[in-house]
Amino acid sequence: MKPIRILHIVSCLDKTSGIMSIVMNWYKNINREKIQFDFLYCDRRVDTYQNDIESLGGKIFYIPRLGITNYFSFKNQFENFLALNSRVYKVIHLHEILLGFVCLPLAKSYGIDHLIVHSHSTKYSSTFLKSVRNRLLCFNLKKNATIYFACSREAGIFLFGKKDVINGKVLIVNNAIDCEKYRYNLSTRNRIKESLKLENDFVVGHVGRFSFEKNHSFLVDIFENVKEINPDAKLLLVGDGPLKDCVLKKVEQKGLADSVIFYGKSDHVNELLQVMDVFVLPSFFEGLALVLVEAQAAGLPCVATSSLSEDAKLVDDLYQKCSLGSSPKQWANTIIECGKKDKRDTYLEIQKRGYDIKSATQEIENFYLALK
């Protein structure tokens, strides 16, 4: 019997995409004799999951991103795709919600019965005008979808409304990880610390794309205050993105260049988390930050924006909230206090909260297979 094929519609296949990391975690752990994933994407990037997807048996389709000038072109290309492939899919799983007003009605007209919309955020955009535009584009999203998914309760309320979340119409799907892979390991910590020449340093860490919502500029201000309290502090920044040069310039202007490590993108985030003494995430908004799950799975004390989803707090004594309205000095004091906590093995705690990829993927698999 052939496996059922699920079409995931995403913005890109980039390895820095949190959404792609989540879907690929499912894909690598799902029973691929029963279920196969295919991907339709709109943004071409350099470092992608293309080879991984194809090696697992998935197919990839590309349509240039929808914009004001190519609306009809996008619509025609997606309709042509459906004309050729609609019989292959009984399920479309939409992660790029801004495409819903085009993709969902067309998919329904071609007889695809199960249309999943997945909320991965708690805001439409980081700017007012784009938020207004994106809200209008998503106006009929609930009407056109048949199934509602969200990565957290807050993300569900944001896109589908509190009533549907309370009534259980929104399925909360945990952003699960391979807990064993991220498990605290003292020998790995010592080895990587030595390789990075950080043996005697207090390492404040952050993993994330250099983009507006991650709030790197404020993070630099915070670290400046940490450095005043602890001269042996180092800031380890893992990731890349469009605002990297701006952050680099600010670091140089503050005279912190010798204390901030711009590591770049990495396929070994699990090992880099072992090096850190405190993980800091001052984001303006997130759905449910996968990296917070990873950091807590690594037994790492975390200081995060207080407005982020309460679902992100998986290990109570390792998770500290701080308001974006607080001063950089207040954040710094919190970070220093959290840094006094001992790292420890949190594997069983993370697993018990339902964030281990094996059990989470089994739930997804059962859900897909139950769709008729």
Side-chain angles (χ1 to χ4, degrees), residues 200-222:
N200 301 314
D201 295 311
F202 176 70
V203 182
V204 178
H206 174 88
V207 180
R209 190 166 183 265
F210 285 82
S211 54
F212 171 81
E213 67 273 12
K214 299 298 182 182
N215 205 8
H216 282 86
S217 180
F218 186 55
L219 178 57
V220 173
D221 293 334
I222 293 168

Side-chain angles (χ1 to χ4, degrees), residues 294-310:
E294 295 169 346
Q296 289 171 89
L300 186 57
C302 298
V303 180
T305 308
S306 57
S307 60
L308 299 186
S309 172
E310 192 66 25

Side-chain angles (χ1 to χ4, degrees), residues 304-321:
T305 308
S306 57
S307 60
L308 299 186
S309 172
E310 192 66 25
D311 293 348
K313 186 177 183 178
L314 305 179
V315 184
D316 288 348
D317 65 312
L318 291 182
Y319 192 94
Q320 183 66 44
K321 296 186 287 187

